[in-house]
Amino acid sequence: DDLARLTAVRRLRPDAWLMVDADGAWDADRLHVMLPILHAHGVRMLEQPLPRARSAALAALPRPFPIIADLTYEQSTDLGRLGDRYDGINLSLDAVGGLTAALGIMEQAGQRGLAVLLDSPPATALSCAPALRAWRRSASAVALGRTTPTVPIATNSGGSRPGRPQPDTAARSSI
């Protein structure tokens, strides 16, 4: 049960920065029910709430926090369409074809005002090091390494997107 897990985590760690990954398992009705619940529990970001085929519903959806897409290699050439639906992308080096592809995607995302969450599983922290170095010099938005105990999260310096929440610049991950 999603609510029971969320309540348990918040009870045990009231200070934790929380991000939820629905992995495309919700429908639009479930999303509308969960958004205020997630917000009430202090969730700061939501990843891939709807299946890709139904993500058009996100375009006009008011949201209390950023919603990001789990980016795949196939989607990496269509950031414009994603920008109408999402506030950012979860960029995994392995999923998009490696470091060179990731650097290009980070640049394109920054130009479109999309947040970039830099993810690393199943990669090692060492394999993500070049991307983290490039991210620090870029205008990309979010870095959150699951293999690193504490990584800063920053907002896109390219400007905010009208009507869309931005990631919290003061937040830190403890995953």
Side-chain angles (χ1 to χ4, degrees), residues 18-143:
L18 295 180
M19 173 185 156
V20 170
D21 183 357
D23 206 20
W26 296 346
D27 60 19
D29 291 337
R30 180 73 173 158
L31 176 60
H32 284 289
V33 167
M34 289 303 294
L35 278 177
I37 293 170
L38 296 175
H39 183 62
H41 281 80
V43 169
R44 307 290 269 289
M45 189 178 295
L46 176 60
E47 181 179 349
Q48 201 68 46
L50 303 175
R52 285 183 183 85
R54 302 212 190 312
S55 67
L58 296 172
L61 180 71
R63 57 201 69 189
F65 41 72
I67 297 178
I68 63 170
D70 189 7
L71 191 69
T72 64
Y73 180 76
E74 295 81 25
Q75 294 173 303
S76 65
T77 59
D78 197 11
L79 291 184
R81 184 182 58 81
L82 291 177
D84 295 338
R85 302 167 186 198
Y86 296 95
D87 305 301
I89 57 173
N90 182 357
L91 181 61
S92 175
L93 295 180
D94 296 341
V96 299
L99 178 60
T100 302
L103 293 174
I105 293 166
M106 288 166 64
E107 179 67 28
Q108 291 174 34
Q111 291 169 358
R112 288 176 170 78
L114 290 168
V116 174
L117 179 110
L118 186 56
D119 200 1
S120 61
T124 66
L126 181 59
S127 69
C128 274
L132 281 171
R133 183 177 172 93
W135 169 79
R136 286 184 181 150
R137 288 186 268 149
S138 75
S140 294
V142 177

